[in-house]
Structures are given as structure tokens and as C-alpha cells.
Amino acid sequence: MENYNLKSILGPIMIGPSSSHTAGAARLGRIAMKLAPKGFNKVSFYLHGSFRETYMGHGTDKALLAGVMDFFPDSEEIKNSFEIADERGLEYEFIKSDLGYVHPNTVKMVFHYDDQEDFYVQGSSIGGGSILIKDINGADVEFSGEKPTLVAKYIDKKGILSRITATFAISGMNIADMHVDRTGKVATLICELDSDFDDATIKDIGRIDDFLFVKYLNPVKEDN
């Protein structure tokens, strides 16, 4: 018999009405914001499938926008995310799209900047407030954000992975799952761990100077 926890039965604590279309959307926006470089001034949300058809009625638009402004699925600010974004000077747009053969609750979030290239994250809300990040700027990935996660991009060469895993071993951190996507000479690493990153581990990883991009995602209580 499959085991169910309380969250899988009742759903997450959230501003409604839908765990998939609202809570999951807020989590998608927030994790995408954590991955994106700072300083974006506009976000374009490309909505696919059921997100595309029902986003206004289910509050998906408000939740996505709240997420990229660092609000949680249970934040009261979701109700007023349009007004908050306007006050902050953050531009936004929602575009009905066909993103191909992907989960029906999928969104591609494109972050725009004045002084650098656009950056995008694509992910899906898969039910009960749970999500999967599937694409980061063209890199094929898959992670839920429910575990501490290292996201790193680097020039693919020998020794990088062994240095990363050795750093985790020295820090006493156990790797739960690891995936590498290679596109040409560039590799994107997704490494999920069983314990949160601490400042010392982040500092040690930072000594590896071959990264083109690196982000550390620690899940927080409100995301669960």
C-alpha cells in the first residue's frame, strides 16, 4: 500500500483556489527568481495547456508574479501581486503559448534586463503544490526544489565533478541525486543533497573557479 503524508491528502498551506494552479505556480515563480540573475526589470510568462486556458480564473497569473517577487504560496500578497509589482516598477506580461509536448501546467518565465541577455526558466506544476523545473536557459534539467540543490554551469572538462563531490564529502553532505546535461562544451549540473548548504560549504564550492554560473537552493518551511 502506498504511503501518503498529510500534504498529499490535504494539499499545501496556500492562498487558493488551486494547489496546482496557485500554490504550484507561486513556487515555480519563486524558484525561477532564485535561479535568475538579479536586476531583472520585466518578466514574460509563457503559459501552456491548462495554465493558458484558466490562468485568470485560478489566480495563476497573480501567483506566478508573486513568486518572482519572492512571496510564498501562503503569502497574503498573492492577492495584490499586480499592484505590488506596479509599485516596484516590475513590468510583466502573460502570453498564451504552445510549448510543445510538456505537462499541461507548464510555464516558461523569461527574465529581462537592461544590461544583459534574457534568462529563462521553464517548469511544471504537477499537483498538490509540487513542481518540477525542466529547462534552464536551454539546459535539460529536472528537479523539484524540495531538497537542497546545487545548480551549476561550467566548461565541461575533467576533474570538475570530482572536485565538487569531494567538497561535499569533506563537508559531510550526502548526495541524493545528480544529473549532468552537456550541450557542446558546456555542462549543467543539478545536484540534490540531503542537508542544507551552510556558509562554509558555499565558500568551499566557491573556490572552484571554473563555474560560469552557480546557484544554491535551500528549501524553506513555507515551500513545503
Side-chain angles (χ1 to χ4, degrees):
M1 182 179 293
E2 185 175 356
N3 293 321
Y4 295 91
N5 58 30
L6 191 61
K7 175 186 172 184
S8 65
I9 298 170
L10 298 179
I13 299 171
M14 64 178 188
I15 300 298
S18 168
S19 58
S20 294
H21 287 242
T22 314
R27 292 196 68 232
L28 282 168
R30 189 170 182 275
I31 289 182
M33 177 274 298
K34 295 291 185 182
L35 292 168
K38 295 183 183 301
F40 58 88
N41 51 34
K42 179 180 178 180
V43 185
S44 300
F45 299 93
Y46 292 84
L47 304 167
H48 173 85
S50 59
F51 268 8
R52 176 186 64 212
E53 301 304 325
T54 65
Y55 70 95
M56 287 187 287
H58 282 171
T60 305
D61 47 1
K62 292 182 178 180
L64 287 167
L65 185 58
V68 301
M69 292 189 294
D70 204 15
F71 294 118
F72 296 102
D74 61 348
S75 296
E76 291 287 338
E77 288 85 355
I78 288 176
K79 300 175 183 178
N80 302 308
S81 60
F82 292 162
E83 293 81 1
I84 295 170
D86 292 342
E87 290 172 1
R88 294 184 179 184
L90 176 63
E91 297 182 43
Y92 52 89
E93 60 181 346
F94 299 92
I95 303 167
K96 293 184 177 183
S97 304
D98 183 349
L99 298 175
Y101 188 68
V102 295
H103 191 281
N105 296 337
T106 294
V107 59
K108 178 178 178 180
M109 294 160 279
V110 182
F111 296 82
H112 304 282
Y113 304 81
D114 285 333
D115 56 354
Q116 58 184 299
E117 294 182 356
D118 293 348
F119 181 95
Y120 80 83
V121 177
Q122 182 169 306
S124 305
S125 178
I126 60 175
S130 296
I131 67 167
L132 285 176
I133 301 298
K134 300 289 290 184
D135 185 345
I136 302 174
N137 253 16
D140 181 20
V141 302
E142 183 172 307
F143 66 95
S144 67
E146 294 181 359
K147 288 182 174 292
T149 305
L150 172 73
V151 181
K153 182 176 287 189
Y154 54 91
I155 301 299
D156 191 19
K157 61 182 181 181
K158 293 180 180 179
I160 301 295
L161 281 180
S162 62
R163 291 166 66 188
I164 294 170
T165 56
T167 300
F168 288 143
I170 292 169
S171 299
M173 300 182 72
N174 185 57
I175 296 174
D177 193 21
M178 185 166 63
H179 171 78
V180 178
D181 175 74
R182 292 184 172 92
T183 304
K185 296 181 179 180
V186 176
T188 300
L189 168 68
I190 305 295
C191 190
E192 296 178 291
L193 298 114
D194 287 331
S195 54
D196 285 354
F197 295 99
D198 56 29
D199 292 340
T201 303
I202 291 174
K203 185 176 180 180
D204 289 341
I205 292 290
R207 294 192 177 99
I208 303 173
D209 57 6
D210 297 285
F211 292 130
L212 303 173
F213 170 94
V214 61
K215 292 284 184 176
Y216 309 90
L217 303 177
N218 277 331
V220 296
K221 184 177 180 181
E222 292 90 339
D223 279 336
N224 296 327

PDB file of all heavy atoms in Angstrom, residues 16 33 37 40 43 62 67 70 77 79 86 91 102-103 110 140 162 165 174-175 187 189 194 209 213:
ATOM      1  N   GLY A  16      -5.632  30.173  -2.058  1.00  0.00           N
ATOM      2  CA  GLY A  16      -6.275  29.358  -3.085  1.00  0.00           C
ATOM      3  C   GLY A  16      -6.461  30.091  -4.404  1.00  0.00           C
ATOM      4  O   GLY A  16      -5.920  31.166  -4.610  1.00  0.00           O
ATOM      5  N   MET A  33      12.942  32.789  -9.827  1.00  0.00           N
ATOM      6  CA  MET A  33      13.568  34.042  -9.387  1.00  0.00           C
ATOM      7  C   MET A  33      14.891  33.774  -8.687  1.00  0.00           C
ATOM      8  O   MET A  33      15.865  34.527  -8.862  1.00  0.00           O
ATOM      9  CB  MET A  33      12.598  34.778  -8.462  1.00  0.00           C
ATOM     10  CG  MET A  33      13.112  36.062  -7.846  1.00  0.00           C
ATOM     11  SD  MET A  33      14.043  35.817  -6.303  1.00  0.00           S
ATOM     12  CE  MET A  33      12.786  35.088  -5.251  1.00  0.00           C
ATOM     13  N   PRO A  37      19.590  35.715 -12.624  1.00  0.00           N
ATOM     14  CA  PRO A  37      20.459  36.798 -12.154  1.00  0.00           C
ATOM     15  C   PRO A  37      19.625  37.948 -11.601  1.00  0.00           C
ATOM     16  O   PRO A  37      18.498  38.185 -12.045  1.00  0.00           O
ATOM     17  CB  PRO A  37      21.211  37.217 -13.428  1.00  0.00           C
ATOM     18  CG  PRO A  37      21.126  36.043 -14.339  1.00  0.00           C
ATOM     19  CD  PRO A  37      19.807  35.393 -14.047  1.00  0.00           C
ATOM     20  N   PHE A  40      16.575  42.006 -12.826  1.00  0.00           N
ATOM     21  CA  PHE A  40      15.594  41.973 -13.914  1.00  0.00           C
ATOM     22  C   PHE A  40      14.530  43.049 -13.677  1.00  0.00           C
ATOM     23  O   PHE A  40      14.183  43.384 -12.546  1.00  0.00           O
ATOM     24  CB  PHE A  40      14.959  40.585 -14.038  1.00  0.00           C
ATOM     25  CG  PHE A  40      14.268  40.076 -12.804  1.00  0.00           C
ATOM     26  CD1 PHE A  40      12.929  40.362 -12.569  1.00  0.00           C
ATOM     27  CD2 PHE A  40      14.959  39.291 -11.880  1.00  0.00           C
ATOM     28  CE1 PHE A  40      12.288  39.879 -11.440  1.00  0.00           C
ATOM     29  CE2 PHE A  40      14.320  38.817 -10.741  1.00  0.00           C
ATOM     30  CZ  PHE A  40      12.983  39.108 -10.519  1.00  0.00           C
ATOM     31  N   VAL A  43       9.278  40.498 -16.523  1.00  0.00           N
ATOM     32  CA  VAL A  43       9.163  39.050 -16.661  1.00  0.00           C
ATOM     33  C   VAL A  43       8.032  38.740 -17.636  1.00  0.00           C
ATOM     34  O   VAL A  43       6.920  39.270 -17.501  1.00  0.00           O
ATOM     35  CB  VAL A  43       8.887  38.355 -15.309  1.00  0.00           C
ATOM     36  CG1 VAL A  43       8.905  36.839 -15.486  1.00  0.00           C
ATOM     37  CG2 VAL A  43       9.894  38.775 -14.253  1.00  0.00           C
ATOM     38  N   LYS A  62      -1.524  35.836 -10.863  1.00  0.00           N
ATOM     39  CA  LYS A  62      -1.152  36.519  -9.625  1.00  0.00           C
ATOM     40  C   LYS A  62      -0.090  35.729  -8.851  1.00  0.00           C
ATOM     41  O   LYS A  62       0.839  36.300  -8.275  1.00  0.00           O
ATOM     42  CB  LYS A  62      -2.380  36.737  -8.747  1.00  0.00           C
ATOM     43  CG  LYS A  62      -3.379  37.725  -9.315  1.00  0.00           C
ATOM     44  CD  LYS A  62      -4.547  37.924  -8.361  1.00  0.00           C
ATOM     45  CE  LYS A  62      -5.535  38.952  -8.904  1.00  0.00           C
ATOM     46  NZ  LYS A  62      -6.668  39.151  -7.975  1.00  0.00           N
ATOM     47  N   GLY A  67       5.426  34.935  -6.958  1.00  0.00           N
ATOM     48  CA  GLY A  67       6.605  34.086  -6.769  1.00  0.00           C
ATOM     49  C   GLY A  67       7.888  34.760  -7.209  1.00  0.00           C
ATOM     50  O   GLY A  67       8.897  34.703  -6.501  1.00  0.00           O
ATOM     51  N   ASP A  70       9.372  36.954  -4.733  1.00  0.00           N
ATOM     52  CA  ASP A  70       9.852  36.291  -3.515  1.00  0.00           C
ATOM     53  C   ASP A  70       8.767  36.086  -2.462  1.00  0.00           C
ATOM     54  O   ASP A  70       9.055  35.983  -1.274  1.00  0.00           O
ATOM     55  CB  ASP A  70      11.037  37.049  -2.898  1.00  0.00           C
ATOM     56  CG  ASP A  70      11.929  36.148  -2.030  1.00  0.00           C
ATOM     57  OD1 ASP A  70      11.807  34.915  -2.142  1.00  0.00           O
ATOM     58  OD2 ASP A  70      12.742  36.674  -1.260  1.00  0.00           O
ATOM     59  N   GLU A  77       0.101  38.444   0.082  1.00  0.00           N
ATOM     60  CA  GLU A  77       0.433  39.390  -1.000  1.00  0.00           C
ATOM     61  C   GLU A  77       0.062  38.856  -2.379  1.00  0.00           C
ATOM     62  O   GLU A  77      -0.003  39.635  -3.351  1.00  0.00           O
ATOM     63  CB  GLU A  77       1.922  39.722  -0.956  1.00  0.00           C
ATOM     64  CG  GLU A  77       2.341  40.618   0.198  1.00  0.00           C
ATOM     65  CD  GLU A  77       2.622  39.858   1.482  1.00  0.00           C
ATOM     66  OE1 GLU A  77       2.398  38.616   1.514  1.00  0.00           O
ATOM     67  OE2 GLU A  77       3.060  40.493   2.452  1.00  0.00           O
ATOM     68  N   LYS A  79      -2.726  38.022  -3.461  1.00  0.00           N
ATOM     69  CA  LYS A  79      -3.972  38.660  -3.889  1.00  0.00           C
ATOM     70  C   LYS A  79      -3.727  40.010  -4.555  1.00  0.00           C
ATOM     71  O   LYS A  79      -4.513  40.447  -5.409  1.00  0.00           O
ATOM     72  CB  LYS A  79      -4.895  38.848  -2.690  1.00  0.00           C
ATOM     73  CG  LYS A  79      -5.281  37.553  -1.983  1.00  0.00           C
ATOM     74  CD  LYS A  79      -6.088  37.848  -0.734  1.00  0.00           C
ATOM     75  CE  LYS A  79      -6.432  36.591   0.035  1.00  0.00           C
ATOM     76  NZ  LYS A  79      -7.187  36.888   1.293  1.00  0.00           N
ATOM     77  N   ASP A  86       3.516  46.753  -9.748  1.00  0.00           N
ATOM     78  CA  ASP A  86       3.446  48.108 -10.296  1.00  0.00           C
ATOM     79  C   ASP A  86       4.172  49.100  -9.380  1.00  0.00           C
ATOM     80  O   ASP A  86       4.902  49.988  -9.854  1.00  0.00           O
ATOM     81  CB  ASP A  86       1.984  48.530 -10.466  1.00  0.00           C
ATOM     82  CG  ASP A  86       1.267  47.742 -11.549  1.00  0.00           C
ATOM     83  OD1 ASP A  86       1.956  47.132 -12.392  1.00  0.00           O
ATOM     84  OD2 ASP A  86       0.017  47.724 -11.543  1.00  0.00           O
ATOM     85  N   GLU A  91       7.790  45.244 -14.625  1.00  0.00           N
ATOM     86  CA  GLU A  91       6.870  45.005 -15.728  1.00  0.00           C
ATOM     87  C   GLU A  91       6.618  43.513 -15.869  1.00  0.00           C
ATOM     88  O   GLU A  91       7.463  42.675 -15.524  1.00  0.00           O
ATOM     89  CB  GLU A  91       7.453  45.566 -17.024  1.00  0.00           C
ATOM     90  CG  GLU A  91       7.653  47.077 -17.026  1.00  0.00           C
ATOM     91  CD  GLU A  91       8.189  47.562 -18.351  1.00  0.00           C
ATOM     92  OE1 GLU A  91       7.693  47.097 -19.407  1.00  0.00           O
ATOM     93  OE2 GLU A  91       9.122  48.385 -18.346  1.00  0.00           O
ATOM     94  N   VAL A 102       4.766  18.921 -23.369  1.00  0.00           N
ATOM     95  CA  VAL A 102       5.143  19.112 -21.970  1.00  0.00           C
ATOM     96  C   VAL A 102       3.893  18.962 -21.108  1.00  0.00           C
ATOM     97  O   VAL A 102       2.766  18.869 -21.601  1.00  0.00           O
ATOM     98  CB  VAL A 102       5.783  20.503 -21.732  1.00  0.00           C
ATOM     99  CG1 VAL A 102       7.107  20.630 -22.464  1.00  0.00           C
ATOM    100  CG2 VAL A 102       4.835  21.629 -22.154  1.00  0.00           C
ATOM    101  N   HIS A 103       4.082  18.938 -19.802  1.00  0.00           N
ATOM    102  CA  HIS A 103       2.976  18.849 -18.860  1.00  0.00           C
ATOM    103  C   HIS A 103       1.995  20.003 -19.102  1.00  0.00           C
ATOM    104  O   HIS A 103       2.422  21.126 -19.412  1.00  0.00           O
ATOM    105  CB  HIS A 103       3.531  18.917 -17.428  1.00  0.00           C
ATOM    106  CG  HIS A 103       2.536  18.583 -16.368  1.00  0.00           C
ATOM    107  ND1 HIS A 103       1.580  19.483 -15.927  1.00  0.00           N
ATOM    108  CD2 HIS A 103       2.341  17.449 -15.639  1.00  0.00           C
ATOM    109  CE1 HIS A 103       0.847  18.924 -14.993  1.00  0.00           C
ATOM    110  NE2 HIS A 103       1.287  17.685 -14.798  1.00  0.00           N
ATOM    111  N   VAL A 110      10.546  34.221 -18.676  1.00  0.00           N
ATOM    112  CA  VAL A 110      11.695  34.897 -19.278  1.00  0.00           C
ATOM    113  C   VAL A 110      11.948  36.195 -18.502  1.00  0.00           C
ATOM    114  O   VAL A 110      11.081  37.066 -18.420  1.00  0.00           O
ATOM    115  CB  VAL A 110      11.455  35.203 -20.761  1.00  0.00           C
ATOM    116  CG1 VAL A 110      12.696  35.868 -21.356  1.00  0.00           C
ATOM    117  CG2 VAL A 110      11.104  33.936 -21.530  1.00  0.00           C
ATOM    118  N   ASP A 140      18.644  20.926 -20.310  1.00  0.00           N
ATOM    119  CA  ASP A 140      17.633  19.953 -19.926  1.00  0.00           C
ATOM    120  C   ASP A 140      17.892  19.498 -18.495  1.00  0.00           C
ATOM    121  O   ASP A 140      18.903  18.844 -18.217  1.00  0.00           O
ATOM    122  CB  ASP A 140      17.687  18.767 -20.886  1.00  0.00           C
ATOM    123  CG  ASP A 140      16.649  17.718 -20.580  1.00  0.00           C
ATOM    124  OD1 ASP A 140      15.662  18.035 -19.894  1.00  0.00           O
ATOM    125  OD2 ASP A 140      16.824  16.557 -21.021  1.00  0.00           O
ATOM    126  N   SER A 162      34.554  15.643  -9.768  1.00  0.00           N
ATOM    127  CA  SER A 162      35.242  15.036  -8.624  1.00  0.00           C
ATOM    128  C   SER A 162      35.574  16.081  -7.567  1.00  0.00           C
ATOM    129  O   SER A 162      35.507  15.805  -6.359  1.00  0.00           O
ATOM    130  CB  SER A 162      36.516  14.324  -9.086  1.00  0.00           C
ATOM    131  OG  SER A 162      37.426  15.236  -9.673  1.00  0.00           O
ATOM    132  N   THR A 165      32.128  16.789  -5.767  1.00  0.00           N
ATOM    133  CA  THR A 165      31.711  15.704  -4.875  1.00  0.00           C
ATOM    134  C   THR A 165      32.664  15.562  -3.692  1.00  0.00           C
ATOM    135  O   THR A 165      32.238  15.241  -2.580  1.00  0.00           O
ATOM    136  CB  THR A 165      31.613  14.380  -5.643  1.00  0.00           C
ATOM    137  OG1 THR A 165      32.866  14.092  -6.294  1.00  0.00           O
ATOM    138  CG2 THR A 165      30.517  14.442  -6.693  1.00  0.00           C
ATOM    139  N   ASN A 174      25.583  14.426   2.043  1.00  0.00           N
ATOM    140  CA  ASN A 174      25.303  13.256   1.218  1.00  0.00           C
ATOM    141  C   ASN A 174      24.534  13.659  -0.037  1.00  0.00           C
ATOM    142  O   ASN A 174      23.553  14.406   0.037  1.00  0.00           O
ATOM    143  CB  ASN A 174      24.479  12.235   2.009  1.00  0.00           C
ATOM    144  CG  ASN A 174      24.278  10.942   1.229  1.00  0.00           C
ATOM    145  OD1 ASN A 174      25.247  10.313   0.826  1.00  0.00           O
ATOM    146  ND2 ASN A 174      23.025  10.551   1.030  1.00  0.00           N
ATOM    147  N   ILE A 175      24.978  13.182  -1.191  1.00  0.00           N
ATOM    148  CA  ILE A 175      24.318  13.473  -2.459  1.00  0.00           C
ATOM    149  C   ILE A 175      23.137  12.533  -2.637  1.00  0.00           C
ATOM    150  O   ILE A 175      23.286  11.311  -2.626  1.00  0.00           O
ATOM    151  CB  ILE A 175      25.305  13.336  -3.632  1.00  0.00           C
ATOM    152  CG1 ILE A 175      26.418  14.386  -3.516  1.00  0.00           C
ATOM    153  CG2 ILE A 175      24.574  13.482  -4.963  1.00  0.00           C
ATOM    154  CD1 ILE A 175      27.519  14.232  -4.547  1.00  0.00           C
ATOM    155  N   ALA A 187      28.526  22.198 -19.628  1.00  0.00           N
ATOM    156  CA  ALA A 187      27.773  21.228 -18.836  1.00  0.00           C
ATOM    157  C   ALA A 187      26.954  21.964 -17.784  1.00  0.00           C
ATOM    158  O   ALA A 187      27.398  22.961 -17.223  1.00  0.00           O
ATOM    159  CB  ALA A 187      28.712  20.236 -18.166  1.00  0.00           C
ATOM    160  N   LEU A 189      25.045  21.109 -14.214  1.00  0.00           N
ATOM    161  CA  LEU A 189      24.946  20.122 -13.143  1.00  0.00           C
ATOM    162  C   LEU A 189      23.785  20.456 -12.212  1.00  0.00           C
ATOM    163  O   LEU A 189      23.642  21.595 -11.766  1.00  0.00           O
ATOM    164  CB  LEU A 189      26.245  20.101 -12.325  1.00  0.00           C
ATOM    165  CG  LEU A 189      26.221  19.340 -10.994  1.00  0.00           C
ATOM    166  CD1 LEU A 189      26.080  17.836 -11.235  1.00  0.00           C
ATOM    167  CD2 LEU A 189      27.467  19.642 -10.169  1.00  0.00           C
ATOM    168  N   ASP A 194      21.024  15.887   0.863  1.00  0.00           N
ATOM    169  CA  ASP A 194      20.156  15.531   1.987  1.00  0.00           C
ATOM    170  C   ASP A 194      20.209  16.534   3.134  1.00  0.00           C
ATOM    171  O   ASP A 194      19.473  16.390   4.104  1.00  0.00           O
ATOM    172  CB  ASP A 194      20.534  14.141   2.525  1.00  0.00           C
ATOM    173  CG  ASP A 194      20.100  13.032   1.583  1.00  0.00           C
ATOM    174  OD1 ASP A 194      19.105  13.219   0.864  1.00  0.00           O
ATOM    175  OD2 ASP A 194      20.771  11.971   1.550  1.00  0.00           O
ATOM    176  N   ASP A 209      36.956  27.653  -9.441  1.00  0.00           N
ATOM    177  CA  ASP A 209      36.817  28.872 -10.244  1.00  0.00           C
ATOM    178  C   ASP A 209      36.423  28.608 -11.696  1.00  0.00           C
ATOM    179  O   ASP A 209      36.565  29.475 -12.541  1.00  0.00           O
ATOM    180  CB  ASP A 209      38.111  29.687 -10.192  1.00  0.00           C
ATOM    181  CG  ASP A 209      39.325  28.885 -10.654  1.00  0.00           C
ATOM    182  OD1 ASP A 209      39.147  27.742 -11.124  1.00  0.00           O
ATOM    183  OD2 ASP A 209      40.451  29.412 -10.548  1.00  0.00           O
ATOM    184  N   PHE A 213      28.243  29.733 -13.919  1.00  0.00           N
ATOM    185  CA  PHE A 213      27.004  30.060 -13.223  1.00  0.00           C
ATOM    186  C   PHE A 213      26.855  29.065 -12.078  1.00  0.00           C
ATOM    187  O   PHE A 213      27.080  27.869 -12.257  1.00  0.00           O
ATOM    188  CB  PHE A 213      25.840  29.915 -14.212  1.00  0.00           C
ATOM    189  CG  PHE A 213      24.456  29.989 -13.607  1.00  0.00           C
ATOM    190  CD1 PHE A 213      23.767  31.182 -13.559  1.00  0.00           C
ATOM    191  CD2 PHE A 213      23.824  28.844 -13.125  1.00  0.00           C
ATOM    192  CE1 PHE A 213      22.486  31.240 -13.038  1.00  0.00           C
ATOM    193  CE2 PHE A 213      22.540  28.900 -12.595  1.00  0.00           C
ATOM    194  CZ  PHE A 213      21.874  30.107 -12.559  1.00  0.00           C
TER     195      PHE A 213
END
